[in-house]
């Protein structure tokens, strides 16, 4: 792939032609349009498709790019995704197309970004061994940190698709029922232990029929691309409610995703083998060593402007391919727009932990921010931004769009 584009890309930007994530934007309250990010601009795809530069685009793919969301593109399937990416890459690298396309390039500062696709079902996994072990030590200090099932299957739960919001959406501090250890009765009020979870989400394009499991090897046939996810978590609500059926209101008030969906194709150079397995896996979960689906994404968590963690996604025990195989092994369908998230990404070092629960060790060990203030959990007005980059072709870096959110005061 050529890495040269006529479009303006700041030197060293991870959003060159090696990346080309898709998103949905509007200008001054106008209609929503599908775009692709290049540098700090967005290219209006339907507008370019309507010029002579759109001549090489298959008609059905062109129609899919003209929608007010990515839903139609997701439904195109792998061949359509490849055709769209080839065309966009051609448009941005062919000097002949510049004449037609350059006027449809808009600075990101001039547009509003929207939730890029209709979220169908939302599943959240729990696939970092370091995160699961840390949470086990904090929530169940007298037991083995990992439960017996953890290395046998990718543990997960169904979340709330309707409260998945786009990056930049404010998050109201949730209220709920909590029971402090020293209180005789449960209490109602604002969460005092509001947290983040830095995660990577996989966006399903191609559906699957009811009753038919999807093999791990079919990941690139079904998954269109990747978003960054912040799975906001109210630890005090969660700790009281989660036994025995798992997360519920401590999670469902909001889940933020990046406005940009990075095609899986852009992450080819980032594929790495997952960590060594300590248990023989059942056949449907076995890794293909020739087709590894670990991904070498470097995440960064910024709290009020201070980098507080750099979680390494390559350390995740379970891959997206295994998660996909597991979530359909009982015959459950995939739908276009399904989102499955990795679970909190935490590495072995303290500064690699992807939640404040772990960074502050349950609130016992505060984090110091650049302004000198100390934090354990989120305060009203705090802002968290999660970004990531990965190796791209020819020594480039591939950027994932940021996921940003600010905490508003409670309404109880
Ligand atoms: Mn989570």
């Amino acid at each position: 792939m050529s890495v040269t584009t006529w479009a303006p890309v700041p030197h060293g930007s991870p959003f060159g032609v090696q990346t080309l994530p898709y998103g949905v934007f509007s200008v001054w309250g106008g209609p929503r349009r599908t775009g692709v990010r290049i540098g700090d601009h967005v290219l209006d795809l339907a507008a370019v498709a309507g010029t002579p530069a759109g001549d090489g685009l298959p008609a059905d793919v062109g129609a899919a790019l003209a929608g007010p969301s990515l839903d139609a593109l997701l439904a195109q399937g792998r061949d359509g995704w490849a055709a769209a990416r080839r065309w966009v890459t051609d448009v941005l690298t062919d000097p002949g197309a510049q004449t037609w396309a350059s006027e449809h390039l808009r600075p990101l500062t001039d547009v509003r970004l929207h939730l890029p696709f209709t979220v169908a079902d939302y599943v959240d996994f729990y696939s970092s061994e370091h995160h699961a072990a840390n949470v086990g030590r904090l929530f169940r200090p007298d037991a083995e940190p990992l439960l017996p099932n953890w290395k046998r299957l990718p543990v997960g739960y169904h979340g709330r698709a309707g409260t998945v919001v786009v990056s930049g959406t404010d998050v109201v501090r949730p209220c709920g029922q909590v029971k402090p250890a020293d209180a005789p009765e449960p209490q109602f009020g604002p969460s005092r232990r509001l947290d983040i979870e830095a995660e990577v989400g996989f966006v399903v394009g191609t559906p699957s029929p009811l009753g038919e499991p999807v093999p791990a090897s079919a990941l690139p046939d079904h998954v269109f691309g990747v978003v960054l996810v912040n799975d906001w978590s109210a630890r005090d609500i969660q700790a009281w409610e989660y036994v025995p059926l798992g997360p519920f209101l401590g999670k469902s008030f909001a889940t933020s995703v990046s406005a940009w969906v990075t095609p899986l194709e852009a992450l080819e150079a980032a594929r790495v083998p997952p960590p060594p397995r300590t248990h023989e896996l059942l056949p449907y979960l076995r890794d293909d060593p020739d087709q590894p689906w670990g991904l070498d994404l470097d995440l960064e968590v910024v709290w009020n402007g201070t980098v507080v963690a750099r979680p390494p996604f390559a350390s995740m025990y379970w891959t997206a391919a295994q998660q996909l195989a597991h979530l359909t092994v009982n015959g459950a369908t995939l739908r276009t727009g399904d989102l499955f998230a990795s679970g909190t990404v935490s590495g072995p070092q303290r500064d690699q932990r992807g939640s404040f629960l772990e960074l502050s060790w349950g609130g016992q060990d505060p984090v110091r921010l650049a302004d000198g203030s100390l934090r354990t959990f989120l305060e009203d007005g705090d802002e968290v931004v999660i970004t990531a980059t990965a190796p791209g072709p020819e020594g480039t870096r591939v950027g994932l769009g940021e996921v940003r959110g600010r905490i508003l005061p409670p309404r109880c």
Side-chain angles (χ1 to χ4, degrees), residues 124 197 199 231 251:
D124 193 22
E197 293 190 339
E199 307 195 17
D231 176 21
K251 299 278 194 175

